Amino acid sequence: MTRTPPPEPRDEIRVAVSTVIFSLRHDDAGELPAVVLPLVRRTRDPHEGQWALPGGWLDASENLEAAASRTLAETTALAPSYLEQLYAFGDVGRSPARVVSIVYWALVREDVAATPLPADENVAWFDAAALPPLAFDHELIVEYALWRLRNKVGYSRIAHGLLPELFTLAELREVYEAIGGRRLDPANFRRQVDGSGTLIPSDDFRTGSHRPARLYRYNHDVELADRGPLPR
Amino acid sequence: MTRTPPPEPRDEIRVAVSTVIFSLRHDDAGELPAVVLPLVRRTRDPHEGQWALPGGWLDASENLEAAASRTLAETTALAPSYLEQLYAFGDVGRSPARVVSIVYWALVREDVAATPLPADENVAWFDAAALPPLAFDHELIVEYALWRLRNKVGYSRIAHGLLPELFTLAELREVYEAIGGRRLDPANFRRQVDGSGTLIPSDDFRTGSHRPARLYRYNHDVELADRGPLPR
DNA sequence: TCAAAAGTGTTTATGGTACACCCATGC
DNA sequence: GCATGGGTGTACCATAAACACTTTTGA
């Protein structure tokens, strides 16, 4: 890209793509759902046996985002509802070989995440608040992705990426509460979201407990927040 | 980084590092300063003769940020007062060869930027609002970097990266005005910044015109906003 | 003494938060 | 009926914007 001659292939800088995938899991009724993410167990050195982020090598003929989707599908069989580049990690010492990892982060709806993972003991969901030791610098990466998730949910409307097509305001609020780690006032939450024009009320209601709650869908007309410089 | 075998070097994905460097330039007195950035003219194909962002190939033995600093110094002899990773660009078609560019963005103080560039007709400063056609996808990159600059100046305290050690509130305000593209109320600006605790008043004043203005310095105790997941 | 920039005070609008209250349904 | 979550109304508080005003210098 510049005026110096290109490096010979023997420089051996390799490019990998990994993804931090977030979803929610309701375990204890009455409690806030937990933020969970899938990890894969490494079956070879380095760090054999340790848990790591799903990912793989970048193929010379595919774009970065395509590589993230592909490796994510190969290792976890998941299709994300939101995918955004997180950061490029390339410190010299982060792996025995010189690897630059382009890391993405993604959201998966809870009902999608609930479908069983591949019959593979080497893929599993973990509570983001109780992760095992991770390979490479993946703990740092997950920590940063969590920071970004919490940050972005504050100023954008990505929370619906964790919900099905139709959802109640209480369910949407629960997503914000789970990510933010604190309860929100239902009254104020309602006003804020329907003042923002991001939700379209449907004519259906969720019944089953007490007063039925109106179901909403996300208004795709309002632009999702910044997903990077790429054309959308 | 994963369970598939590493690719052979003949895959030929190369990693470059480029930097979008911002500074300010006062041209017309009374007018807002312009946002300017240095470009280098390409001396070889592809895109020979076109202007491009300063950068170079990533060396196998250096970190990404170090490579950004190095290539930036080699091509422009500039030392930035702020440096942060912007985005990884890696689309297949963005260059004849497969190149993944880790792009950084940087701030340079105006007095530093005023020192003459290397005696090289192939490096020059341009007004960000009137750029020539750029090589590769560098126009997209600059556009995104400008968006990030404007965004970040709104919620962080990086503006001082464009100013010398001591500066008046009017000078600091001018930075915000130049980046934001609109005038700000001096009274409200004053209250906002000294309410934030980011400035330390000095005992010196800038004289020369009318009533002298107190000089301030930046308070390095208050943490700069997010520069990424790396330890600082 | 006047122009111009530094710096202060005050009013108003706005958005978030807390919380009291009513509504509709399952049990 | 009554408990519970859905949904509305309203007062309060902090912050931002607008702008009148005073202070201090150079010319």
Side-chain angles (χ1 to χ4, degrees):
Chain A
M1 303 288 295
T2 62
R3 297 146 70 234
T4 55
E8 295 301 315
R10 55 180 142 74
D11 279 0
E12 290 190 18
I13 300 174
R14 292 197 293 249
V15 181
V17 175
S18 300
T19 307
V20 186
I21 306 161
F22 292 117
S23 191
L24 294 182
R25 188 178 52 200
H26 286 78
D27 8 39
D28 312 302
E31 285 301 305
L32 281 179
V35 177
V36 294
L37 51 92
L39 298 173
V40 300
R41 202 195 319 257
R42 291 187 56 78
T43 56
R44 69 187 62 216
D45 268 332
H47 298 284
E48 177 173 352
Q50 278 199 290
W51 294 97
L53 293 170
W57 300 108
L58 174 64
D59 194 272
S61 63
E62 67 185 348
N63 289 347
L64 296 177
E65 188 164 332
S69 294
R70 174 182 58 79
T71 60
L72 185 154
E74 284 174 3
T75 51
T76 65
L78 290 170
S81 53
Y82 182 77
L83 181 64
E84 175 190 317
Q85 190 179 303
L86 177 68
Y87 200 79
F89 294 82
D91 273 7
V92 169
R94 64 186 291 274
S95 170
R98 182 66 197 275
V99 178
V100 172
S101 281
I102 316 294
V103 179
Y104 281 74
W105 70 284
L107 299 180
V108 170
R109 299 204 313 260
E110 187 170 5
D111 54 324
V112 174
T115 63
L117 289 172
D120 179 352
E121 281 304 309
N122 292 320
V123 187
W125 289 90
F126 290 85
D127 190 320
L131 292 178
L134 301 186
F136 305 108
D137 52 359
H138 288 192
E139 284 172 26
L140 175 71
I141 295 177
V142 170
E143 190 189 357
Y144 183 53
L146 268 168
W147 179 89
R148 187 98 142 229
L149 168 68
R150 282 191 238 276
N151 236 55
K152 196 137 196 170
V153 91
Y155 65 85
S156 79
R157 298 301 173 216
I158 57 168
H160 76 283
L162 293 165
L163 290 173
E165 180 70 14
L166 288 171
F167 49 87
T168 67
L169 286 182
E171 288 164 350
L172 181 62
R173 173 167 47 86
E174 217 178 25
V175 173
Y176 281 86
E177 290 174 334
I179 294 172
R182 64 194 186 95
R183 294 286 181 178
L184 300 175
D185 184 312
N188 296 328
F189 182 81
R190 164 181 305 275
R191 265 185 294 268
Q192 282 167 17
V193 301
D194 71 25
S196 70
T198 50
L199 293 191
I200 302 172
S202 78
D203 293 330
D204 299 323
F205 290 81
R206 173 141 306 160
T207 180
S209 77
H210 311 298
R211 173 173 171 178
R214 184 177 292 277
L215 290 169
Y216 293 81
R217 71 182 72 247
Y218 182 72
N219 179 5
H220 289 273
D221 289 349
V222 302
E223 190 48 65
L224 215 52
D226 156 57
R227 293 187 56 183
L230 307 170
R232 272 153 286 214
Chain B
M1 304 288 295
T2 63
R3 296 145 72 233
T4 56
E8 295 301 316
R10 54 179 142 73
D11 279 359
E12 289 189 19
I13 300 175
R14 292 198 292 251
V15 181
V17 174
S18 301
T19 307
V20 185
I21 307 161
F22 292 117
S23 191
L24 294 183
R25 188 178 53 198
H26 285 78
D27 8 40
D28 312 301
E31 286 300 306
L32 282 178
V35 176
V36 294
L37 51 92
L39 298 173
V40 300
R41 201 193 321 255
R42 290 187 57 77
T43 57
R44 69 188 62 216
D45 267 332
H47 298 284
E48 176 174 352
Q50 277 198 291
W51 294 96
L53 293 171
W57 300 108
L58 175 64
D59 194 271
S61 64
E62 67 186 347
N63 288 348
L64 296 177
E65 189 165 330
S69 295
R70 174 183 59 78
T71 60
L72 186 154
E74 283 174 2
T75 51
T76 65
L78 290 171
S81 53
Y82 182 77
L83 182 65
E84 176 190 316
Q85 190 179 304
L86 177 68
Y87 200 78
F89 294 82
D91 273 7
V92 170
R94 62 186 293 272
S95 170
R98 182 66 197 275
V99 177
V100 172
S101 281
I102 317 294
V103 179
Y104 281 75
W105 69 285
L107 299 181
V108 170
R109 298 204 313 260
E110 187 170 5
D111 54 324
V112 174
T115 63
L117 288 172
D120 181 351
E121 281 305 308
N122 293 321
V123 187
W125 289 90
F126 290 85
D127 190 321
L131 292 177
L134 301 186
F136 305 107
D137 52 359
H138 288 192
E139 283 172 26
L140 175 70
I141 295 176
V142 170
E143 189 188 358
Y144 183 52
L146 268 168
W147 179 88
R148 187 96 143 231
L149 168 67
R150 283 190 237 278
N151 236 55
K152 196 138 197 171
V153 90
Y155 64 84
S156 80
R157 298 301 172 214
I158 58 167
H160 78 283
L162 292 165
L163 290 173
E165 180 71 13
L166 288 171
F167 50 87
T168 68
L169 285 182
E171 289 164 349
L172 181 62
R173 174 166 48 85
E174 216 179 25
V175 173
Y176 281 86
E177 291 174 332
I179 294 173
R182 64 195 186 95
R183 295 283 181 179
L184 299 175
D185 185 313
N188 295 329
F189 182 80
R190 166 181 303 276
R191 264 186 295 268
Q192 281 168 18
V193 301
D194 71 24
S196 71
T198 50
L199 294 191
I200 302 172
S202 79
D203 293 330
D204 299 322
F205 290 81
R206 171 141 306 158
T207 180
S209 79
H210 311 298
R211 174 171 171 177
R214 183 177 293 277
L215 290 168
Y216 293 81
R217 71 182 73 246
Y218 181 72
N219 179 5
H220 289 274
D221 289 350
V222 302
E223 191 46 65
L224 216 51
D226 155 56
R227 293 186 56 184
L230 308 169
R232 273 152 286 213

